[in-house]
Amino acid sequence: MGENIFDKIIEKHIIDGRMENLGEIGLKIDQTLTQDATGTMAYLQFETLGFSEVKTELSVSYVDHNTIQVGFENFDDHKYLKSVASKYGIIYSRAGNGICHQVHLERFARPGKTLLGSDSHTPTAGGIGSMAMGAGGLDVAVAMGGGPFYITYPKVIKVNLKGKLKPWVSAKDIVLKVLEILTTKGNVGCALEYGGEGVRNLTVPERATITNMGAETGVTTSIFPSDEVTKEFMIAEGREDQWVELKADPDAEYEREIEIDLSELEPMVACPHNPGNVKKVKNVEGIKVDQVVIGSCTNSSFRDLSIVAEILKGKITHKAIEFGIAPGSRQVLEMIAKSGALESLVKSGARILESACGFCIGNSFAPGTNSVSLRTSNRNFLGRSGTKSAQLFLVSPETAAASVITGKITDPRDLESMGIKYPEIKLPKKFFIDDSMFIFPSQGKKEEIFRGPNIKSAPKNTPLPSVIKGEVMLKVGDLITTDHIMPAGARLKYRSNVPKYAEFVFENVDSTFPERCLANKQEDIHNIIVAGLSYGQGSSREHAALCPMYLGVKAVIAKSIERIHHANLLNFGILPLVFKNEEDYNEIEQGDTLEMPNIIEELKAGKDITVKNLTKNREFTIKYALSTRQKDVILSGGLLPYTAKRR
Ligand code: MIC
Ligand code: SF4
């Protein structure tokens, strides 16, 4: 039997486990990336683990999330990151250089390599053929120290692309179609491999839009083959020597195959409040729009901004709309400045935002009360924009540009009737390359580590107690995202200060949660969370586990838990548990006291866990999906004590 692309890469990187369905495998990681919002904690943990330098082929520390700098905290954190990078042999990408995923794609990602990033959109690099995965900062810290990164051996879904996109339809519409098919739940343990003749009609940045937003389906990662198109992109980036061909064998087998005929696709939109809530633009057109923002790691490439600039040439932003663009990187910004696209955007009335995450994570450009915001980003969770009452619609740059002109959600194909032709954007043969905003480890001498007053040490958990007993402090429904658990936006600046950040756990769900947890927490009394399907969707932020841990949460019992959050819970010694019978969820109320009297014996023996609901005088069982290694991690109280024990 032939091999698919993932198998080819895994075969070269597997250092623990076997390539068998549902088995846990440990992979050697070639490259890592961190961003500042998750990076400070990752490096604090790296320091705690006592490594003397990074052991990867390449590790990059990007500053792109917390660049708003209201108060001293962000800049202090950047200085900490810069000093850590210089000490441990990490490339430092200064604020202003761009969003980690866009910059990594341009300058460092390589076909056939493994990449682990402390950000859930790390699979963006799958567009160039890298096996790129998102993880919590602690997992990345371990990988930087040379340790394996563990995943479930993936069930690979092949997405066969046929034909060619019609004018006004682009890569975002493809991935929204994928989301419509796969939805955002039920895909844990899967990976998406793109293939078929339609692939060659997509450039690397377009492929990266698709692999980027694959994260929203919950798959481990997504990948494209590395072909002549990939080579062209690498030539344009001056990295042709790093190109290798990567393709599946003709007789490769897959868990499942999906076919998408590109020529049949229409402009798509993800409606509030979930990226899986996909509709055709035609079905929602006419909704009045208050804000349009183009950017984020999904759609901020030279191609994306150039097409918007062409569409808007000679037009002015509709008077009801505030319009912003955030170029994905300094390279993109310089290129649109040179090509004249920036001028057309400025003339159209666009507000030029920093080359950073900004609006996407809700730390700037928040929409007004009850506003409709049309964005080219990848997440539209409730409150994500910084405004709880806002409605976020996720669309392609083409749809966004059309709506800038009309002031309402508009199918871009309708622009033809206004005399606007679909602009053809050709990528230049050579991109503008300027690496001067990176600080390479070879430059200058090692710095002393700088720690501002906002940086507190990384808290540790204690080994798993033999009995878990405590109150259900919160019962939530389905699709609770890490944005619900641990809001970002204005709270982002506390990422390196866990006691402070913990004050905001579940802020938009039940703001009394932290206070109640701290009041209840005792050595032998624990806090428990009960949840529905796909708990922990979305970001890789380990604070969604770390801060609940700080508040004394010892177990999450859910109908299902998403991959990265499951790993983060484990890493911080919180038991990720799943109902055996989903009906038992209905029998629990917030405030009930639950007891798991034999937790350690049951875990060790691989048995289901017995839970007594002392309030309701009921008993039920729950299950877990934990390898022997993961059980050891949880018994030790998390990955930090587990790894420290082994060094
Ligand atoms: C996001 O898009 O939600 C973030 C902000 O980039 C997160 C990381 C974080 O919370 O710092 C992610 O995607 O992992
Ligand atoms: Fe930044 Fe948004 Fe991309 Fe997250 S999704 S990395 S916040 S641009």
Side-chain angles (χ1 to χ4, degrees), residues 35 37-38 65 101 118-121 357 360-361 378-379 384 483 488 492 495 538-541:
Q35 41 90 339
T38 53
H65 278 62
H101 308 304
S118 61
D119 193 280
S120 65
H121 290 106
C357 298
C360 174
I361 190 56
N378 48 36
R379 288 187 174 143
R384 165 94 178 176
D483 281 74
L492 261 184
R495 283 288 174 89
S539 88
S540 68
R541 69 190 69 140

Side-chain angles (χ1 to χ4, degrees), residues 409-436:
I409 298 184
T410 301
D411 185 324
R413 293 171 299 181
D414 296 349
L415 293 178
E416 299 259 359
S417 63
M418 296 180 214
I420 302 175
K421 290 259 159 317
Y422 189 56
E424 219 195 300
I425 305 296
K426 282 226 172 337
L427 293 188
K429 293 257 171 288
K430 276 274 167 206
F431 288 174
F432 187 78
I433 298 163
D434 174 3
D435 286 339
S436 56

Side-chain angles (χ1 to χ4, degrees), residues 73-137:
E73 294 90 344
N74 300 162
F75 192 52
D76 279 2
D77 282 1
H78 304 168
K79 278 170 79 177
Y80 166 73
L81 292 169
K82 180 163 155 286
S83 62
V84 166
S86 110
K87 176 158 180 198
Y88 294 107
I90 298 156
I91 301 168
Y92 181 68
S93 174
R94 298 163 67 182
N97 209 24
I99 305 173
C100 55
H101 308 304
Q102 174 67 26
V103 181
H104 206 79
L105 186 78
E106 291 165 0
R107 306 303 307 136
F108 301 116
R110 292 171 68 159
K113 296 284 180 189
T114 52
L115 165 68
L116 191 69
S118 61
D119 193 280
S120 65
H121 290 106
T122 305
T124 312
I128 210 170
S130 162
M131 181 166 171
M133 296 154 289

Side-chain angles (χ1 to χ4, degrees), residues 37 66 81 98 121 191 212 216 234 269 283 288 291 328 337 347 377 399 484 567 589:
N66 276 322
L81 292 169
H121 290 106
N212 170 286
E216 273 49 69
M234 296 189 81
V269 50
N283 296 338
K288 277 184 63 214
Q291 185 189 59
K347 279 206 163 118
S377 48
T399 303
H484 290 104
E589 274 178 279

